[in-house]
Amino acid sequence: MIGQAVNRVDGPLKVAGRATYGYEYWEAGQPLYGVIVGASIGKGRITTIATESAERASGVRMVMTHHNAPAQGVRDESISFEYWRPQPVLTGPDVHYHGEPVALVVAATFEQARAAAALVDVAYAEGRGRFDFAAHEDEAYVPKAVNAGLSTDTAVGDFDAGFSTAAVRVDQRYTTPYEFSMPMEPHACLAEPRGEDLVVYVGCQIVDAARASVAGTLRVDPARIHIVTPFVGGGFGSKLGIHAETILAALAARALRQPVKVALTRQQIFQLVGLRPTSSQRVRLGAGRDGRLTAIAHDVTMHTNPDVEYAEQTAATTRSLYAAPHRLTSHRLTPLDLPRGADVRAPGEAPGLLAVESAMDELADALGMDPVELRIRNEPTVDPEREVPYSDRHLIDCLREGARRFGWEHRPATPASVREGRWLIGYGMAAAIRGHFQGPTTVRVRLTADGTAVVQTDMTDIGTGTYTVLTQVAADGLGLPADRVRIELGRSGLPSSWGSGGSWGAANSCTATHRACAALREKVLVAARGDVRSPLHGLDLADAVFADGAVRIGDVSQALSEIIARSRPDGVEAEGETRFMGDDPHYSAYSIHTYGAHFAEVGVDADTAELRLRRMLGVFSVGRALNPKTTRSQLIGGMVWGAGAALEEEAVVDPRSGAFVNRDLAQYLIPVHADIPDVDAVILDGYDDKANPLGAKGVGELGICGAGAAIANAVFNATGIRVRDFPITLEKVLTGLPPLDG
């Protein structure tokens, strides 16, 4: 079963509308509805907040403000990961960013709550906020830490000497905008009090984090909090932690002793769930005339919220990608009065590779060298900063196979030299790399007397296919057909996991399932050996094969259901685990990554600068693909995201108020079907035995890494115009276009 292109086992539920998401539960009976009132200033203090009119409105049960909100736990930075920390709201009159919750109105219906929310009258003493990144970039400081526990800065050799003596040098600055996760399912919560307990139905990516965060905020025993999230309608990082709607629903439900639903509007999502920081990245490359890098530096400055520090690991991408004896990377933070930075899909690698892979294309152009060949010439033999071997590196294979399939030999050698009518045609490419992570995860597998396997873990399915790959691993591990496997996910009473995020979810949960099945097979064999009535009694169990719902040794077999029914009629179970990567010697002895190569063809209208993506190809090395169909789907989705980052996505801040002026999907542009005509992803056969026993590595975010740079490089090849301020929009290309013949 492992490695087969199996259809999603939860697909029928979703297309029939029977997959229940957090806001859709009705078991608690008729709920009350909450609507959040957000601050209309970006910095300052509430002087008065008048709630009387709202409280008198029809159906209103409560108006909660900082005056009457229950006491809550404070953010505890001694807790290693942000997502497990308390997330208090309505704790005082200070306003830290535009849209921050200042009140919650709870009423019998959503319409009543929304109408009453408009009646809450808030007066402010407005402060002088810092909203303009460019204006405050020189105030940047060295952060305490960089995301994922990586080093803030690194240095190898003598960069200044290596760069100054290089025959060919690139020294450019690239800027990337604020970007958002915009899952199809809005952030929403139903909180239901049950005595002293609270059941929280919410879309979240890490159940254990949600439980700990809610419990810490409410200052209750975590055993009293029950998280339910069997289906999540996308997250992309925005649901790794819980947010204001969840805490406010929980506070109101406990205060009113009734179920309360709170959902963010699409506009509120732009303010309340975190964002990818804007960045200014300086990339310096020094090389000999033969293209071999002698020096590489990647220095990044990005925004952070003054109260909740977040440093995206944007420069860390560069540390393992190319060989060069002299190296430098750094991260700096500029505090702004804006929503906090957070993990947005492929944090670090997505914006970092936009810059580095654009710079590599600039170096190739300066050298007059093919961009694919330049990357091959700078392939390292060991990790150039950690000085440990790579576990399984096939970047060159991705580059060569991608070039062959794409027809790279037809690339225009001279920019702006190929036209089809009005259209300037260009090819571009970029490499991709992403670290592979491992976290603590436990899975329990139980065999029942009828021969059904039940797999249990609080791991989540955010649309990536968790139900399907766990079914495949369990079916393979126990020799069962897929329809004899049942997966139970997304509940806090189940064995704990690191959930879905960081591209670690499938590898963690599948490895733990694989180990649980191995332990379960041993228990089954012991039971059969100890049963004198079993045809397997007395046989050499070392030769046992689990297949077709039975255990077979040579020509003798016995159904699993019969073994369990006789010896363990109540069922038999076992657990499997993965541990934190810091405790796994493979992760210190090897540099473990996934790799890819992106190729893109664009057309640019020579008169209007209209940009059209004509085709994209990605070739990827991810170890063993657990399910090629779902893997390819995730990679293509990532490539589309990369196209959006290159050409469309940009959240614009009003420098007067700190509000995002394009805070809806009519103005915050993302790719639609018409923008993405022809995309393909190819997965190379592989197996990385240093990553885990299954040889599989994360794929969810790799597709984004480098995809945008390939498109940017194709725009340069088509027009001769190098845009370093992303996204690449019409006005950044129009004035530099070559004249149209005729």
Side-chain angles (χ1 to χ4, degrees), residues 181-544:
S181 302
M182 280 291 142
M184 185 178 295
E185 176 199 22
H187 298 71
C189 174
L190 165 63
E192 177 198 355
R194 294 184 185 175
E196 295 302 310
D197 290 8
L198 187 70
V199 182
V200 180
Y201 303 90
V202 61
C204 65
Q205 294 177 233
I206 310 175
V207 168
D208 187 60
R211 185 185 200 180
S213 187
V214 172
T217 307
L218 300 184
R219 303 196 298 189
V220 301
D221 185 341
R224 294 292 189 185
I225 304 299
H226 309 276
I227 305 296
V228 181
T229 180
F231 296 100
V232 183
F236 313 115
S238 70
K239 295 175 184 172
L240 286 167
I242 52 91
H243 302 288
E245 83 288 342
T246 302
I247 296 302
L248 289 169
L251 292 172
R254 282 168 58 84
L256 295 170
R257 308 309 302 166
Q258 283 187 253
V260 175
K261 284 186 174 184
V262 181
L264 299 184
T265 65
R266 184 61 66 179
Q267 290 77 14
Q268 287 175 326
I269 291 174
F270 281 84
Q271 303 286 353
L272 297 181
V273 303
L275 70 162
R276 193 193 301 283
T278 189
S279 77
S280 174
Q281 304 180 47
R282 184 185 183 190
V283 180
R284 287 171 286 173
L285 305 175
R289 292 290 177 186
D290 61 357
R292 299 189 188 279
L293 288 167
T294 57
I296 182 169
H298 190 181
D299 300 300
V300 182
T301 303
M302 69 195 80
H303 115 280
T304 188
N305 179 276
D307 301 303
V308 185
E309 184 176 281
Y310 176 83
E312 191 172 19
Q313 68 275 32
T314 308
T317 300
T318 309
R319 296 172 183 171
S320 300
L321 185 50
Y322 297 119
H326 305 293
R327 316 175 65 84
L328 200 66
T329 68
S330 70
H331 299 83
R332 300 293 181 265
L333 297 180
T334 297
L336 299 177
D337 299 306
L338 296 173
R340 70 190 191 192
D343 291 333
V344 175
R345 198 176 190 198
E349 291 91 353
L353 284 168
L354 265 176
V356 170
E357 287 300 285
S358 293
M360 284 292 284
D361 199 69
E362 297 206 43
L363 179 61
D365 183 62
L367 289 164
M369 181 178 291
D370 182 275
V372 173
E373 178 60 27
L374 174 64
R375 288 161 173 83
I376 292 173
R377 289 195 184 187
N378 288 286
E379 175 72 0
T381 55
V382 297
D383 189 296
E385 298 206 8
R386 294 180 56 203
E387 296 184 342
V388 297
Y390 292 98
S391 62
D392 182 60
R393 181 175 168 115
H394 295 285
L395 177 56
I396 290 179
D397 295 332
C398 294
L399 292 166
R400 287 178 170 155
E401 181 65 11
R404 183 188 70 81
R405 288 174 177 259
F406 192 77
W408 184 249
E409 69 274 14
H410 301 301
R411 169 183 175 266
T414 303
S417 62
V418 173
R419 297 193 184 198
E420 291 181 6
R422 301 177 62 88
W423 294 94
L424 296 161
I425 308 301
Y427 287 14
M429 60 79 52
I433 185 172
R434 190 178 188 283
H436 174 71
F437 301 96
Q438 178 176 288
T441 295
T442 302
V443 173
R444 180 169 57 236
V445 181
R446 181 177 181 82
L447 270 172
T448 64
D450 66 355
T452 297
V454 181
V455 179
Q456 297 176 317
T457 174
D458 73 3
M459 169 67 179
T460 52
D461 191 324
I462 57 174
T464 48
T466 306
Y467 284 99
T468 305
V469 291
L470 289 182
T471 296
Q472 292 178 257
V473 172
D476 191 80
L478 297 173
L480 292 171
D483 60 6
R484 300 300 295 168
V485 177
R486 186 171 79 248
I487 310 297
E488 296 180 1
L489 301 177
R491 289 181 179 268
S492 53
L494 300 176
S496 178
S497 76
W498 250 24
S500 300
S503 297
W504 60 59
N508 283 343
S509 56
C510 286
T511 296
T513 301
H514 171 77
R515 288 172 171 155
C517 288
L520 195 53
R521 289 197 304 270
E522 289 298 315
K523 291 187 176 184
V524 169
L525 291 175
V526 168
R529 182 175 58 192
D531 183 1
V532 295
R533 299 168 297 172
S534 170
L536 306 177
H537 179 68
L539 299 181
D540 185 357
L541 300 181
D543 297 326

Side-chain angles (χ1 to χ4, degrees), residues 93-119:
D94 292 333
V95 174
H96 305 90
Y97 57 88
H98 195 281
E100 181 179 11
V102 297
L104 176 75
V105 178
V106 182
T109 70
F110 170 72
E111 291 78 11
Q112 290 171 331
R114 183 175 59 183
L119 301 176

